[in-house]
Amino acid sequence: MLHSLFLLLGALSLLTLVIGQDQSGFISIDCGLPENFSYTEKNTGINYISDANFIDSGVSKTLSPEDRITHQQQFSYLRSFPNGVRNCYKINMTSGVDYLIRASFLYGNYDGLNKLPQFELHVGPNVWETVKFTNSSISVNYEIIYSSSQDHIHLCLANTGTGTPFISVIELRTLPNDTYSISIQSVGSLARVLRLDLGSITNLTYRYKDDPYDRLWEPYSNKEWTQLSTSLNTDDLNNTVSMPPVIVMSTAATPRNSSASLDFKWDANTITDRIYFYLHFNEIQKLKANETRSFNITLNGKPIDGPFVPKYRSTQTSYTPSPHSGFKTYRLSFLRTEFSTLPPIINALRNSKR
Ligand SMILES: *[C@@H]1O[C@H](CO)[C@@H](O)[C@H](O)[C@H]1NC(C)=O
Ligand SMILES: *[C@@H]1O[C@H](CO)[C@@H](O)[C@H](O)[C@H]1NC(C)=O
Ligand SMILES: *[C@@H]1O[C@H](CO)[C@@H](O)[C@H](O)[C@H]1NC(C)=O
Ligand SMILES: *[C@@H]1O[C@H](CO)[C@@H](O)[C@H](O)[C@H]1NC(C)=O
Ligand SMILES: *[C@@H]1O[C@H](CO)[C@@H](O)[C@H](O)[C@H]1NC(C)=O
Ligand SMILES: *[C@@H]1O[C@H](CO)[C@@H](O)[C@H](O)[C@H]1NC(C)=O
Ligand SMILES: *[C@@H]1O[C@H](CO)[C@@H](O)[C@H](O)[C@H]1NC(C)=O
Ligand SMILES: *[C@@H]1O[C@H](CO)[C@@H](O)[C@H](O)[C@H]1NC(C)=O
Ligand SMILES: *[C@@H]1O[C@H](CO)[C@@H](O)[C@H](O)[C@H]1NC(C)=O
């Protein structure tokens, strides 16, 4: 079955986009920051507050000076939990509204032990993720889209006997309820797996203010691909708020070998993960009368969409309404069709699991 969402600009979404530019749906918590302190981070313009009103336990710590100067300010402090198996934040939220919740961690040898801990992050009674590090100076973050039936949420750090839990940053952002093709309320939550800017020519991660909902769009490329880019503005894109931001859609990946397929793969944690993915396309090249770009999309060899023809300066999303599961590795292939004169492209991809 074919499922493509054609997104058109409406006055309403423009309005939301403008409203979305302020931080009204944001709760940005710098864990460990002394009580009553707040500041505006200078790169992102995001206003962070102390976590003191959200938790009673744990101790405030600071990163090593080397790590402090090489990271944004919200990582300077953290809250560490040497006591207790589970320590929980209680954060107010509006029931029935979809939230993006992001928890970020930077170890930065804050305890002087030079030993990377591992622990669990829980949402209420449910395990959200196991927090793992590969490098003391590299931050990790986890995101879920969550809709609560209550007016608050408990975010907990659980000690699993493999080091002292800590947390650096908690960020909540309200999302429009059409960001995903399924009702978050009915499934409870969706965890982010990847959210990628596939044609990136800057190698930068984009977030607020490029994305009014402060989603992180990470650059990704590989040696088989090359990039196409143009300069688009919001009107060109016929964008809606749930789409990737203009800066992300202004670039696309395409295979270097123009007769080869464009391939992308990722590994699932377990074969029982139920994966939803959204593929975002925008034809950023003005095609000549005798040119066509058309491709089929397969998942692990099985057709899922196509022939797909990206629209000029308009964002389209391809997705399947039901989740995929049963694989350890997911391989998406974009195959140039017989009549296409141009190779496939893709601008952005996001996938989530349940
Ligand atoms: C934080 O502000 C509140 C309200 O103004 C005040 O009662 C409290 O003493 C302050 N806490 C600290 C640690 O300054
Ligand atoms: C959370 O909501 C409760 C009940 O409305 C209120 O008493 C409390 O102050 C709120 N907490 C924060 C941190 O805003
Ligand atoms: C950790 O990351 C830093 C910064 O990217 C790098 O300089 C360092 O070599 C890495 N350390 C290890 C052990 O990989
Ligand atoms: C989104 O919210 C609108 C208005 O509150 C509601 O009519 C609609 O059913 C909701 N959609 C989903 C997918 O929850
Ligand atoms: C992009 O950044 C990543 C991480 O900092 C780095 O490993 C990679 O080499 C960079 N790629 C390019 C093309 O600069
Ligand atoms: C994009 O929106 C503009 C103005 O709303 C409209 O004129 C144009 O036809 C739309 N383009 C596409 C490709 O849908
Ligand atoms: C380009 O891709 C085609 C189709 O996969 C293949 O037959 C050809 O050998 C490739 N060319 C190069 C230079 O790799
Ligand atoms: C398309 O037309 C242009 C001239 O307008 C020509 O140079 C080009 O080779 C043609 N391309 C194809 C694929 O036929
Ligand atoms: C693309 O899909 C169409 C329709 O399903 C099919 O006829 C065509 O052979 C496919 N082409 C390629 C290159 O996969």
Side-chain angles (χ1 to χ4, degrees), residues 296 307 335-338:
N296 290 343
L335 306 153
R336 179 172 165 169
T337 59
E338 294 80 351

Side-chain angles (χ1 to χ4, degrees), residues 288-292 341:
K288 299 197 186 74
N290 63 354
E291 289 180 321
T292 54
T341 66

Side-chain angles (χ1 to χ4, degrees), residues 261-332:
S261 58
L262 187 151
D263 300 302
F264 178 80
K265 66 178 167 66
W266 73 90
D267 289 328
N269 262 355
T270 70
I271 65 163
T272 54
D273 280 356
R274 281 169 294 177
I275 310 262
Y276 293 85
F277 56 84
Y278 300 84
L279 310 172
H280 302 291
F281 303 93
N282 191 294
E283 179 57 80
I284 56 179
Q285 280 188 330
K286 179 87 189 142
L287 305 192
K288 299 197 186 74
N290 63 354
E291 289 180 321
T292 54
R293 190 190 309 278
S294 144
F295 49 88
N296 290 343
I297 307 171
T298 64
L299 179 67
N300 292 348
K302 226 180 94 210
I304 54 167
D305 205 347
F308 192 92
V309 179
K311 277 192 179 175
Y312 183 57
R313 291 187 169 239
S314 182
T315 295
Q316 289 161 276
T317 300
S318 174
Y319 68 95
T320 50
S322 45
H324 299 274
S325 67
F327 298 102
K328 184 71 182 109
T329 299
Y330 288 83
R331 185 187 307 273
L332 281 168

Side-chain angles (χ1 to χ4, degrees), residues 105-157:
F105 305 83
L106 176 65
Y107 171 62
N109 195 26
Y110 78 87
D111 53 5
L113 299 174
N114 244 318
K115 192 163 184 303
L116 298 173
Q118 184 174 313
F119 48 88
E120 283 177 356
L121 179 60
H122 296 182
V123 183
N126 305 315
V127 178
W128 168 6
E129 287 285 354
T130 297
V131 179
K132 292 179 193 156
F133 301 91
T134 55
N135 181 317
S136 162
S137 302
I138 296 179
S139 65
V140 298
N141 67 73
Y142 301 92
E143 289 181 4
I144 50 167
I145 311 299
Y146 192 84
S147 176
S148 176
S149 53
Q150 292 176 302
D151 62 359
H152 63 272
I153 185 178
H154 287 286
L155 279 190
C156 309
L157 287 307

Side-chain angles (χ1 to χ4, degrees), residues 50-76:
S50 160
D51 64 347
N53 290 335
F54 304 94
I55 194 157
D56 296 324
S57 58
V59 287
S60 166
K61 296 281 180 181
T62 53
L63 293 191
S64 66
E66 312 84 79
D67 283 310
R68 221 176 300 155
I69 55 167
T70 52
H71 290 89
Q72 292 184 354
Q73 188 176 351
Q74 65 272 27
F75 288 103
S76 290

